[in-house]
Amino acid sequence: MNPKTTRMLAAGAVVVVALALLLIVRPGDSDNGNPDENADQGQATSKTTGNTGPTSAPQSKPPQPEKPVVPVYRVVDGQPAGGVQKLEANEGDNIRFVVKSDVDDEVHVHGFDVSEPVGPGKPARFDFKADFTGVFEIELENSAVPIIELQVNP
Amino acid sequence: MISLPLAHALVSRGDLPIPVWLFAWGAGVVLVVSFFALASAWRKPRFEDAPGRPAATWLSATANSSAVQFLSGLIGVLLLAVVLYAGIEGTEAADRNFSLTFVFVTVWLGFPVLSVVFGNVFAAFSPWRAIGRAYGWLAQRLAPGAVRHVEYPEKVGRWPAAVGLVAFVWLEIIYGATGAAVVLSPEIVAKATVIYSVYTLVMMGVFGVEKWSSRGEFFSVYFGMFASMSSFRKREGKLERRRWLSGTTDWANVPGSLALVVSAIGVTTFDGAQEGALKTPIEWTQERIGDLGFAATVSVRAGDTIFLLITIGIVALIYLLGVKGMTRVDAAPPFKVLRSRFAHTLIPIALAYLVAHYFSLFVFQEQAQFTFLLSDPLGDGSNLFGTATSGIDYTLIGPELVWYVQVGALIAGHVTALVLAHDRALLIWPDYRLATRSQYWMLAVMLCFTSLGLFLLSFANQ
């Protein structure tokens, strides 16, 4: 075989391998969406209808584990308990969470630019719509300490 | 949704990691393209010593007219003054002060793109070059022949620019990191600008305006590196057009050029990795430094600095290993020669990294620049042009577009780098079979950079 043929064969082999790889990886495609994500979305939208206190809802109806639980994040000594926490949501969801803090400050969600004051005995409650995607920092405004990383997926 | 920012940090929104399927497609395309490049490449250099032909007379005359030169220089000086004034007098909220977005986004990310398309436009707008030239002109009038310059030590080459580039990025993303209550304030930017301006003007006085602009003034040198890709160049006072990319071939003849392009890739890599791939080791290191009894701010900055330097070192190592491999090909020049002769092939990689990491930031932050930052540069509630109440529309570009631009930039950079490397190899090894053999090594280098880039983009923050 002359060198040119060898090279063309090698190139052809690489194409075949690459295409095979693509076919193998494609089914794991995150775009297809796994059932968990869809369930989350359903929860998030259903939450807007309920006017009952978010913490009392799951207790009153224990047989329904799908009922939304509003996540609570704690700030101890001005630092997030257990390090920066991660919060994931999908575009269009209503994002709801509570921050409890033992120091006075203001909780600020970057990008969406909503803030709530926080302090001992007065938790900051958030409820806003995620209109766009991205990764956003949620921080204590005055001390500039990040506490939550919010990821809004398409 | 339009929202007005309230917070300190400049970057309010981070990019989502690219999805697995796009990662696979990107990697697949890169592999296929690479092997076809090796299999069916040309046998005579196409970009080396490409001749330039004069650009349209009106264009050349306009670009070189004293009026245009004076006006663009004046604009540069005025904008420098605005940066200083807003930095000192304006709000300390970084994202509502004109200075930070203007310096770190509009200029720093805008000029590379402008330079690739139109050539070395920063030369016209550089405030320091304008001041230096005005001073030189005046001195020549008042005391002809009195201005004498020290000869620039050519061995030092572009090293001062490489150091300046790393220092600038250090100021932006390490000194000003938002991690543990460390925030880059507009006032610090203004002070740094004063220090840098004085330093630059002194150096221009010592070595000459043009010499220092092409060697030590890192804005000029860094933007000039990207301008070498463009098809426009200025030679002997005339505007010339030449084959696209051909200007890169003699760019790295000056010592220190490799250091500059490696630093450019390294700092972008670090910025992409610090919040993702390198987050855990950086935090671990910062805690260990904190254990030694240093204050939180010091340990955060020290840890970041160590990893910035390590990242630049790794980028250099990848390239140098490839060069080392090439020396094993028959009739190869020595390592030291090859090292600088392939340095220009990294310029497209540097550009690709820049686009991939900062495309969305640029699009979003420029909305701020041309709305509320323009109308209210100090953040004191003024409304000069009636746009102070507009904000950033984060729905302007969706995540898919950002992903396609990111992966597209990496693939385009990869291909361009391979093209330049192949072309250079043909010059060094006139026997094209040896040239092709040498390019297995450069292919490995470029694959490393491209897959590293894809990896950084796909890394979901844990």
Side-chain angles (χ1 to χ4, degrees):
Chain A
M1 264 195 298
N2 72 44
K4 181 139 193 167
T5 323
T6 319
R7 280 202 304 276
M8 290 309 279
L9 278 177
V14 170
V15 175
V16 172
V17 171
L19 286 177
L21 267 175
L22 287 181
L23 288 176
I24 294 165
V25 181
R26 194 83 170 96
D29 185 334
S30 61
D31 231 22
N32 292 343
N34 59 47
D36 286 349
E37 283 173 19
N38 293 337
D40 279 350
Q41 199 163 8
Q43 276 179 22
T45 40
S46 73
K47 279 188 297 195
T48 54
T49 53
N51 273 337
T52 46
T55 42
S56 65
Q59 288 161 358
S60 60
K61 287 192 174 178
Q64 283 183 311
E66 295 89 2
K67 204 74 181 171
V69 179
V70 176
V72 177
Y73 300 94
R74 279 168 214 286
V75 174
V76 182
D77 294 334
Q79 294 293 327
V84 176
Q85 301 294 306
K86 189 148 185 176
L87 174 60
E88 266 196 74
N90 292 316
E91 192 178 0
D93 280 4
N94 268 58
I95 297 173
R96 300 178 75 182
F97 63 93
V98 177
V99 177
K100 291 183 174 173
S101 169
D102 59 356
V103 290
D104 280 311
D105 208 316
E106 193 173 322
V107 180
H108 176 234
V109 184
H110 281 252
F112 296 98
D113 269 313
V114 284
S115 348
E116 292 288 339
V118 75
K122 42 173 178 130
R125 293 180 188 280
F126 286 90
D127 186 351
F128 59 92
K129 194 157 186 275
D131 319 62
F132 43 85
T133 62
V135 180
F136 308 91
E137 215 164 66
I138 299 175
E139 64 170 20
L140 292 177
E141 183 68 357
N142 298 327
S143 56
V145 172
I147 48 177
I148 307 168
E149 188 184 271
L150 168 65
Q151 180 170 330
V152 182
N153 296 315
Chain B
M1 176 177 153
I2 307 279
S3 57
L4 268 183
L6 305 159
H8 303 300
L10 206 54
V11 184
S12 290
R13 180 198 162 280
D15 284 326
L16 291 167
I18 57 170
V20 176
W21 63 267
L22 186 60
F23 180 91
W25 272 106
V29 168
V30 162
L31 272 182
V32 172
V33 159
S34 304
F35 277 86
F36 270 110
L38 276 184
S40 58
W42 58 101
R43 296 181 184 182
K44 288 259 178 280
R46 292 186 177 183
F47 297 95
E48 307 281 349
D49 293 325
R53 55 199 161 81
T57 327
W58 64 268
L59 191 65
S60 189
T62 316
N64 289 312
S65 67
S66 334
V68 168
Q69 295 276 313
F70 178 80
L71 213 65
S72 48
L74 189 68
I75 292 172
V77 174
L78 285 178
L79 284 169
L80 179 71
V82 174
V83 165
L84 291 176
Y85 182 71
I88 293 163
E89 293 293 322
T91 172
E92 282 299 287
D95 59 349
R96 286 197 296 132
N97 192 306
F98 178 87
S99 300
L100 263 94
T101 297
F102 186 74
V103 173
F104 292 108
V105 183
T106 307
V107 170
W108 189 246
L109 304 178
F111 270 104
V113 179
L114 281 179
S115 305
V116 167
V117 179
F118 299 110
N120 199 2
V121 280
F122 185 73
F125 289 97
S126 162
W128 306 293
R129 184 167 171 266
I131 295 171
R133 287 174 84 194
Y135 178 81
W137 179 82
L138 202 68
Q140 195 63 28
R141 283 289 157 105
L142 297 177
V147 180
R148 285 217 179 78
H149 296 305
V150 176
E151 196 173 331
Y152 187 76
E154 281 302 334
K155 268 188 172 177
V156 177
R158 293 193 171 114
W159 276 99
V163 174
L165 171 94
V166 175
F168 176 82
V169 176
W170 183 87
L171 181 77
E172 178 193 7
I173 63 181
I174 294 184
Y175 188 81
T178 47
V182 189
V183 172
L184 185 61
S185 76
E187 198 187 340
I188 291 170
V189 173
K191 282 178 181 162
T193 310
V194 170
I195 294 171
Y196 184 70
S197 299
V198 171
Y199 159 76
T200 301
L201 293 173
V202 168
M203 287 308 200
M204 282 177 166
V206 174
F207 298 114
V209 173
E210 301 302 338
K211 188 49 106 180
W212 187 250
S213 294
S214 67
R215 298 288 187 270
E217 201 280 285
F218 71 89
F219 287 95
S220 299
V221 176
Y222 179 68
F223 300 145
M225 173 178 88
F226 294 117
S228 73
M229 291 175 79
S230 126
S231 54
F232 291 101
R233 79 167 151 191
K234 203 167 143 182
R235 210 166 74 163
E236 288 156 12
K238 293 245 164 48
L239 210 58
E240 272 189 354
R241 296 202 65 171
R242 59 188 170 182
R243 180 170 285 173
W244 198 62
L245 295 178
S246 66
T248 57
T249 55
D250 56 5
W251 176 80
N253 292 351
V254 177
S257 302
L258 177 61
L260 185 86
V261 68
V262 161
S263 306
I265 298 174
V267 293
T268 316
T269 308
F270 173 78
D271 198 21
Q274 62 166 346
E275 287 294 313
L278 282 180
K279 194 175 178 175
T280 316
I282 290 177
E283 283 175 354
W284 184 86
T285 311
Q286 288 166 343
E287 278 164 26
R288 295 294 81 74
I289 297 171
D291 290 346
L292 296 175
F294 289 100
T297 313
V298 175
S299 21
V300 165
R301 284 176 186 158
D304 280 348
T305 309
I306 290 169
F307 275 88
L308 173 69
L309 297 177
I310 290 177
T311 312
I312 297 174
I314 289 173
V315 170
L317 194 69
I318 293 173
Y319 173 75
L320 292 176
L321 281 177
V323 173
K324 188 79 196 158
M326 275 197 290
T327 59
R328 295 168 48 155
V329 176
D330 291 344
F335 179 74
K336 272 191 168 177
V337 175
L338 275 184
R339 187 177 61 186
S340 59
R341 299 221 66 194
F342 279 88
H344 70 289
T345 65
L346 298 179
I347 301 175
I349 302 279
L351 181 68
Y353 269 42
L354 202 70
V355 172
H357 287 286
Y358 300 117
F359 166 68
S360 68
L361 172 74
F362 187 72
V363 170
F364 291 131
Q365 234 21 66
E366 283 316 278
Q367 295 179 54
Q369 181 78 79
F370 286 100
T371 56
F372 61 89
L373 292 180
L374 196 66
S375 273
D376 186 9
L378 305 185
D380 60 1
S382 55
N383 196 349
L384 301 175
F385 305 102
T387 55
T389 51
S390 309
I392 300 174
D393 180 2
Y394 283 109
T395 59
L396 187 69
I397 47 172
E400 292 85 4
L401 179 64
V402 176
W403 291 332
Y404 295 148
V405 168
Q406 290 178 325
V407 174
L410 286 181
I411 294 174
H414 179 83
V415 173
T416 316
L418 284 180
V419 163
L420 286 177
H422 181 82
D423 221 51
R424 176 51 52 90
L426 289 173
L427 194 73
I428 294 175
W429 289 275
D431 178 350
Y432 86 94
R433 278 166 303 182
L434 289 179
T436 305
R437 203 168 301 155
S438 77
Q439 287 317 290
Y440 288 116
W441 292 100
M442 286 314 279
L443 179 66
V445 168
M446 301 313 172
L447 271 177
C448 276
F449 285 131
T450 308
S451 29
L452 175 66
L454 280 173
F455 169 71
L456 292 176
L457 292 181
S458 69
F459 199 93
N461 300 348
Q462 297 301 311

